[in-house]
Amino acid sequence: MTWLKEPLLHFLGLGALIFAFYYWTADDSANHREITISLGAQENLIRTFERTWQRPPLPTEMASLVQDLVREEIAYRESQVMGLDANDIIIRRRLRQKLELLTEDLVSLGPPVRADLESYLQSHPEDYRQPALLDFEQIYFRSEPDEATARARATDALASLLAEPGRIDPAGLGDRSLLAGRYRDVRSSELSTLFGSGFDTAVLALPLNTWAGPVRSGYGYHLLRIARKTESRIPALDEVADEVERDWMSERRRQAVDGLYERLAANYQIRIEATLPQAPAAPGAPAL
């Protein structure tokens, strides 16, 4: 009979034999064969269902949830008996994640006091630095097709504005564009995004309440009048307390996980074999 020679049939039969071997040679203790779904586990199922569906489960739904939990426990135990968790990179990573999350949760039980946050802010001031804020006007001169001409036009317009302050309407100078003529409460960090790299540095160096320039941008040349400039500063704790507490907790969790591995590593003899030499590249292949 040709069906007896089918490789798939041999594979399925071998799999059944392996499963039977693990099943009958596994630990058959009462603890292994007993599954208890506690009241606490059932309450957790109900809470999870309510968070998802905004209502308690119906009796049939609850029975299905319990059945699924029983099957999950059976699959977990039988997979362990058969060694399915051995050398599984996904399972190893998940267990590591659970260990680290448990450690982080224990650390999170103790909230910081104000002195902790003050100390953290003093140790990381640049992380919370407030950028300079500016209010300014700008007049734009298109650099195409002749950049030298655009710069000369901007320079002449600046001379006119300075010679007769208040008598020349800035709106009548320069070229039309999609750029706004006035900007308010612009962060200095946003200037490079709006006008191109390096524009913020040039603008911050300009004097207040007078037309100055020309300043080169990614579009062309600009004359600017800075009406207000709030200098960059380190804020007080009360202004950034939520951000500081979040970062303090994050660092504390990281330190707890690092400390955990340092303590656990002391219980092991760790040996790292010599790194394999890099194989020579094949002729014509790009170097890595």
Side-chain angles (χ1 to χ4, degrees):
M1 295 183 293
T2 58
W3 61 273
L4 290 175
K5 299 180 181 180
E6 286 292 326
L8 177 61
L9 180 64
H10 298 166
F11 177 82
L12 294 176
L14 180 61
L17 289 174
I18 293 175
F19 182 86
F21 172 78
Y22 274 106
Y23 185 85
W24 293 111
T25 58
D27 177 17
D28 199 27
S29 64
N31 288 338
H32 178 71
R33 293 302 168 195
E34 180 180 326
I35 294 177
T36 301
I37 305 300
S38 67
L39 289 177
Q42 295 176 57
E43 290 173 354
N44 185 57
L45 290 175
I46 294 173
R47 286 194 297 269
T48 302
F49 186 96
E50 289 177 339
R51 284 196 299 269
T52 302
W53 301 104
Q54 304 301 311
R55 63 173 178 83
L58 299 173
T60 54
E61 293 170 329
M62 186 63 193
S64 178
L65 292 172
V66 171
Q67 182 188 51
D68 189 64
L69 185 59
V70 170
R71 290 184 176 183
E72 181 180 286
E73 184 63 25
I74 291 173
Y76 170 71
R77 295 188 187 188
E78 295 301 324
S79 297
Q80 281 191 313
V81 170
M82 297 174 65
L84 298 183
D85 57 335
N87 299 319
D88 189 307
I89 188 70
I90 297 177
I91 293 177
R92 288 163 65 95
R93 288 175 177 171
R94 179 58 178 156
L95 292 175
R96 172 185 174 180
Q97 182 185 50
K98 292 187 69 174
L99 176 64
E100 293 180 359
L101 287 175
L102 176 61
T103 303
E104 292 176 356
D105 287 343
L106 291 175
V107 169
S108 300
L109 295 178
V113 298
R114 185 177 180 86
D116 295 326
L117 301 183
E118 290 279 12
S119 176
Y120 189 87
L121 177 58
Q122 292 174 11
S123 300
H124 306 80
E126 293 303 319
D127 292 346
Y128 306 96
R129 177 177 289 280
Q130 302 287 339
L133 294 177
L134 300 103
D135 296 345
F136 64 91
E137 299 176 70
Q138 68 90 23
I139 305 172
Y140 166 67
F141 296 85
R142 185 181 298 106
S143 60
E144 296 177 353
D146 186 348
E147 182 168 336
T149 299
R151 182 178 178 84
R153 290 174 57 218
T155 301
D156 291 343
L158 176 62
S160 299
L161 289 168
L162 295 178
E164 300 182 80
R167 298 189 61 182
I168 297 178
D169 182 7
L173 302 175
D175 299 316
R176 298 181 63 181
S177 74
L178 296 178
L179 297 171
R182 294 175 181 267
Y183 290 86
R184 291 182 58 83
D185 292 326
V186 178
R187 292 172 177 258
S188 57
S189 55
E190 295 174 340
L191 290 176
S192 292
T193 303
L194 292 170
F195 294 94
S197 177
F199 194 81
D200 56 334
T201 302
V203 171
L204 289 173
L206 297 179
L208 284 172
N209 299 315
T210 185
W211 286 101
V215 177
R216 184 73 167 89
S217 78
Y219 306 102
Y221 286 93
H222 304 259
L223 300 181
L224 297 105
R225 180 166 62 184
I226 312 299
R228 181 180 67 92
K229 179 165 56 176
T230 301
E231 298 295 337
S232 174
R233 65 185 181 88
I234 305 298
L237 176 60
D238 290 338
E239 299 177 68
V240 289
D242 291 341
E243 296 93 327
V244 174
E245 181 174 351
R246 182 187 62 240
D247 295 341
W248 182 89
M249 291 296 299
S250 178
E251 180 170 295
R252 194 172 181 216
R253 293 188 189 103
R254 180 185 58 77
Q255 291 174 345
V257 171
D258 290 345
L260 171 69
Y261 282 117
E262 288 178 6
R263 292 191 298 273
L264 295 179
N267 299 322
Y268 295 86
Q269 290 185 346
I270 300 174
R271 180 172 60 89
I272 301 175
E273 296 182 351
T275 304
L276 292 174
Q278 184 175 352
L288 298 178

